[in-house]
Amino acid sequence: MDEKELIERAGGPVTRGRLVRDLEALGVGAGDTVMVHTRMSAIGYVVGGPQTVIDALRDAVGADGTLMAYCGWNDAPPYDLAEWPPAWREAARAEWPAYDPLLSEADRGNGRVPEALRHQPGAVRSRHPDASFVAVGPAAHPLMDDHPWDDPHGPDSPLARLAGAGGRVLLLGAPLDTLTLLHHAEALAEAPGKRFVAYEQPVTVGGRRVWRRFRDVDTENRGVPYGRVVPEGVWPFTVIAQDMLAAGIGRTGRVAAAPCHLFEAADVVRFGVEWIESRMGGAAGGA
């Protein structure tokens, strides 16, 4: 879609002021802690690009609010590195740069906003190489510090802290399947056949580059076996989020041209755990 089409779709160029007004109308308010998922093309032609979106979001939450996003690591070693031919694997391991919260690029698959957000003055990025998050604002350190190495989507993760602190999640033009907070629900839920992945990635410990082994729910390949209740080819989070909206959880509106959803993080976690356990045969209450 070219610039003219984007402008026409939004009924004009999308400015910082327009974004702030629409965000406030949706329910984003001063003092909020908000995790945002953004699809820039859905918004329209944004004057100034991702920086304008970030500025508008920070205007909406104010000086006492905090903005958070999922980063990941664009150049992380693949999970199947151990299966590479030995010569390839050893050559890569010998010189693969350690994850650096300040320098390592955010996963491009998460859009342009997380990469821009991590460059903001005062931004704090979590230490986990594969599941890193970034936050800007007064709650940044409480959300990001000492991100657990193992089970990085589980208890005491940035996601858990977001829910515990009364945080919110904003899908700003992003589809329902991007609701990363549901990985926290997967980590908590008791579900038979839950799948985990173990992998190694390089980090810096005591000033030295070391390869550390990590363990997590298999977030890439349906860590919960949803096959009996979610059709093949449909990402489970879409189904869970649709059911959540049908149950009256979350607000829906538009910011410029973008269809948006605003959720209370604690509601998402509670609904997600109950949804998974009720359909997958797990015990009630979470783990």
Side-chain angles (χ1 to χ4, degrees):
M1 192 175 298
D2 63 22
E3 294 173 3
K4 184 179 178 181
E5 289 176 309
L6 288 171
I7 292 171
E8 290 176 344
R9 184 169 152 194
V14 179
T15 62
R16 177 173 174 172
R18 181 180 175 185
L19 287 170
V20 173
R21 291 189 294 273
D22 287 354
L23 287 165
E24 290 175 343
L26 182 64
V28 178
D32 283 352
T33 295
V34 179
M35 180 175 180
V36 63
H37 301 270
T38 308
R39 176 169 286 178
M40 291 291 298
S41 61
I43 301 172
Y45 184 81
V46 180
V47 177
Q51 185 61 51
T52 294
V53 172
I54 291 169
D55 288 341
L57 285 162
R58 297 191 71 186
D59 287 346
V61 302
D64 294 329
T66 298
L67 187 61
M68 170 177 163
Y70 176 63
C71 279
W73 179 17
N74 195 66
D75 299 301
Y79 291 154
D80 66 353
L81 179 63
E83 300 170 17
W84 285 16
W88 295 5
R89 181 178 66 245
E90 293 312 312
R93 284 176 60 93
E95 297 190 51
W96 208 298
Y99 166 73
D100 187 326
L102 294 176
L103 300 179
S104 296
E105 184 181 9
D107 189 335
R108 295 175 191 172
N110 296 322
R112 298 167 64 193
V113 168
E115 176 65 10
L117 187 62
R118 75 175 187 86
H119 287 285
Q120 302 303 299
V124 180
R125 189 175 179 186
S126 68
R127 68 179 183 176
H128 198 285
D130 191 60
S132 68
F133 296 82
V134 64
V136 178
H141 278 290
L143 288 167
M144 298 294 113
D145 287 353
D146 299 320
H147 188 173
W149 292 122
D150 293 312
D151 203 9
H153 295 92
D156 200 35
S157 66
L159 296 175
R161 297 173 194 174
L162 176 73
R168 314 175 86 182
V169 180
L170 171 63
L171 302 184
L172 182 53
L176 294 173
D177 63 10
T178 63
L179 193 52
T180 300
L181 184 57
L182 286 172
H183 283 313
H184 180 50
E186 290 181 326
L188 297 181
E190 293 185 2
K194 189 187 296 188
R195 291 187 288 268
F196 295 85
V197 62
Y199 54 93
E200 288 188 313
Q201 294 191 346
V203 294
T204 301
V205 177
R208 295 177 54 247
R209 183 182 72 98
V210 298
W211 283 82
R212 193 189 190 284
R213 192 165 183 80
F214 301 91
R215 185 175 187 271
D216 190 14
V217 172
D218 190 353
T219 59
E220 296 291 321
N221 300 294
R222 295 191 177 201
V224 172
Y226 294 98
R228 292 186 290 110
V229 295
V230 177
E232 190 66 30
V234 177
W235 188 246
F237 289 3
T238 300
V239 178
I240 298 173
Q242 287 173 340
D243 287 352
M244 187 162 51
L245 290 166
I249 297 171
R251 301 184 184 190
T252 298
R254 283 192 176 270
V255 173
C260 297
H261 303 285
L262 180 65
F263 298 101
E264 304 300 323
D267 290 346
V268 173
V269 175
R270 183 184 67 254
F271 187 93
V273 170
E274 291 174 354
W275 194 100
I276 293 168
E277 291 185 343
S278 67
R279 289 162 177 75
M280 308 307 296

